[in-house]
Amino acid sequence: MLLDLHCHSTYSDGTCSPKSLIKKAKNLGLKYFSITDHDTINAQPEAIEYSKQLNLNYIPGVEINAEFPTLMDILGYNIDINNDYLLNILNTIFEKRIERNRLMIELLKEEGFNIDIEDLEGVSLHTIGRPHIARMLLKKGYGTSVSQIINTYLTRGKKCYVERFKFSPKKTIKAIKKAGGIAVLAHPRKLRLSKIQVETLLNELKDYGLDGVEAFHYSSDPEYTNFLIDLARKLGLLITAGSDFHGTNKPFVSLGVFVEDFILQDTINYFITKY
């Protein structure tokens, strides 16, 4: 089965519009597809409508960053995009993100960079973050690449970094469930935990309502993917797969993930019943 349940559009930090992503997914022959922009569902109406026109099995999605010592993202699928509780959560994150961007811009100006918050107007359809700031600096002639600028100035511990506002995993999962969605832990390998710690964490998140784990992701090698598959089955969690495609912002990642049908059959059956 070729599918992709994790990718990003121009409404967050991807470089492809929702329509172009849907068209790519259709042309590639993806059986199931989801756009999971960071902390926003603004792409969903367009994606849902265009998917219907192309007869593509589309699953509305979102990726929300939750509070954790390292990077933790919770994916939400089959969400009601008009749910007030979820919309309020996402709106709070959006307002806090604007505040964070202003603070990072001020810190960069103190370091001598010629950049203003107005420079970021129009660079994203909704969510603006560190990649957009770094790209603007690169455009102005600073640094050698987006990643170099981020790693030098905009990473935790560096002079111009400001911590992102996050809700707790419990509240994040609650928001997804309130919207009738399916909550999935994204790319566990990125948490940099031992396997025992991952199992402990998944048990805790399951108590909050977590439904599944993203076992297929570019950050996981085959051995780690198999570990996650076995762990998900042990804990009674769904298994999902996503490329984490960002267009040219992650040129090493291609759209679409190949997975043997039987591995994801329970997940697909569950998703279909939630349509």
Side-chain angles (χ1 to χ4, degrees):
M1 185 191 302
L2 180 62
L3 77 167
D4 201 329
L5 301 178
H6 186 167
C7 73
H8 299 274
S9 78
T10 44
Y11 280 89
S12 63
D13 55 348
T15 58
C16 298
S17 69
K19 275 193 173 182
S20 66
L21 285 171
I22 298 296
K23 192 176 293 184
K24 286 175 184 286
K26 182 66 176 179
N27 291 340
L28 286 170
L30 269 63
K31 196 166 182 179
Y32 297 93
F33 186 60
S34 182
I35 294 173
T36 54
D37 283 322
H38 294 286
D39 305 322
T40 177
I41 52 176
N42 285 14
Q44 298 308 316
E46 181 181 343
I48 291 167
E49 179 58 32
Y50 198 53
S51 295
K52 288 178 181 176
Q53 293 177 27
L54 297 188
N55 196 29
L56 175 68
N57 292 319
Y58 182 76
I59 300 164
V62 67
E63 184 176 20
I64 305 174
N65 189 234
E67 187 178 2
F68 198 70
T70 56
L71 180 70
M72 178 189 280
D73 288 310
I74 308 290
L75 294 158
Y77 297 109
N78 272 339
I79 47 174
D80 173 5
I81 62 173
N82 297 307
N83 179 267
D84 286 339
Y85 191 92
L86 177 62
L87 290 173
N88 287 336
I89 289 286
L90 295 179
N91 187 57
T92 298
I93 295 172
F94 177 68
E95 291 175 350
K96 294 291 186 180
R97 185 185 289 270
I98 292 174
E99 181 182 334
R100 179 198 191 210
N101 289 338
R102 289 186 183 280
L103 290 172
M104 287 193 290
I105 293 294
E106 288 305 313
L107 290 172
L108 285 165
K109 288 170 72 172
E110 289 176 12
E111 290 299 309
F113 290 96
N114 177 26
I115 186 171
D116 289 291
I117 194 69
E118 290 76 15
D119 292 332
L120 299 176
E121 291 179 0
V123 302
S124 170
L125 292 175
H126 182 80
T127 302
I128 296 175
R130 292 179 300 158
H132 302 98
I133 295 173
R135 197 175 301 113
M136 185 57 62
L137 289 173
L138 189 65
K139 187 176 179 180
K140 287 174 174 283
Y142 299 108
T144 56
S145 68
V146 169
S147 60
Q148 181 266 326
I149 292 170
I150 290 176
N151 291 335
T152 305
Y153 300 101
L154 300 172
T155 296
R156 184 178 284 108
K158 302 300 182 180
K159 287 185 177 180
C160 303
Y161 178 80
V162 175
E163 194 65 49
R164 190 192 311 182
F165 172 83
K166 314 173 195 72
F167 285 106
S168 68
K170 185 176 183 178
K171 189 157 188 175
T172 301
I173 292 171
K174 179 182 178 180
I176 292 168
K177 306 297 281 188
K178 282 271 193 179
I182 298 165
V184 173
L185 178 64
H187 41 61
R189 190 65 180 269
K190 285 192 170 185
L191 295 173
R192 299 178 182 178
L193 301 175
S194 69
K195 290 179 179 179
I196 293 174
Q197 289 173 320
V198 170
E199 181 170 357
T200 300
L201 175 64
L202 285 175
N203 269 308
E204 178 185 345
L205 297 179
K206 186 180 176 183
D207 288 340
Y208 301 152
L210 188 79
D211 298 292
V213 59
E214 187 178 49
F216 293 86
H217 183 268
Y218 72 82
S219 63
S220 296
D221 57 30
E223 186 275 332
Y224 199 83
T225 295
N226 287 331
F227 156 71
L228 290 174
I229 291 171
D230 291 340
L231 183 55
R233 287 171 174 162
K234 175 183 175 181
L235 301 179
L237 295 170
L238 300 172
I239 298 164
T240 70
S243 67
D244 207 353
F245 181 75
H246 283 69
T248 56
N249 282 343
K250 282 188 180 180
F252 57 91
V253 177
S254 300
L255 197 68
V257 181
F258 281 103
V259 183
E260 293 181 79
D261 287 24
F262 75 92
I263 295 177
L264 292 188
Q265 199 55 60
D266 288 344
T267 300
I268 297 305
N269 289 343
Y270 189 74
F271 273 33
I272 289 173
T273 62
K274 298 282 283 188
Y275 276 160

